[in-house]
Amino acid sequence: VQLQASGGGLVQPGGSLRLSCVASGKFFRIDDMGWYRQSIGKERELIASITRGGGIDYADSVKGRFTISRDNAKNMVYLQMNILKPEDTAVYYCKGGAVVPGRGNLEVWGQGTQVTVSS
């Protein structure tokens, strides 16, 4: 099972970006999915999560600016990021809980996509 994140880039403060993450491989389904980020010198932090049924939670630092969503049929999770700030600069990672034949529940990380907010 693999997760592939995309959509990062360079954006000016106040701008927007949309990250996408798609799961591929052999699995029954993807349960909880989330977006994390890690900036230089800091630990990786969870910023948004979504259950398979659509339950959502956000870190206070992104609440009101970021929106997480998912498409279960496409095995994808998205992160719409608005009103971006320089402090949002980080590598963004997606994570999913895959239910895999013969292996049960498996935690899978995407490879990360760089988001840089700068003028």
Side-chain angles (χ1 to χ4, degrees), residues 6-8 17-21 35 77-79 81 92 113 115:
S6 61
L17 280 176
R18 188 190 195 213
L19 305 183
S20 299
C21 176
W35 286 97
V77 63
Y78 307 96
L79 187 68
M81 305 186 293
Y92 284 69
T113 184
V115 172

Side-chain angles (χ1 to χ4, degrees), residues 2-6 20-24 33 74-77 94:
Q2 291 185 327
L3 293 182
Q4 179 75 36
S6 61
S20 299
C21 176
V22 60
S24 62
M33 302 189 81
K74 296 181 179 179
N75 297 308
M76 294 193 71
V77 63
C94 56

Side-chain angles (χ1 to χ4, degrees), residues 41-64:
K42 295 187 177 180
E43 294 187 353
R44 192 173 298 188
E45 61 170 340
L46 174 64
I47 57 170
S49 63
I50 184 168
T51 67
R52 186 170 180 83
I56 289 173
D57 198 16
Y58 296 102
D60 287 344
S61 57
V62 305
K63 202 171 291 184

Side-chain angles (χ1 to χ4, degrees), residues 98-114:
V99 181
V100 180
R103 297 184 65 184
N105 297 313
L106 186 66
E107 185 177 277
V108 185
W109 286 90
Q111 87 286 6
T113 184
Q114 176 71 45

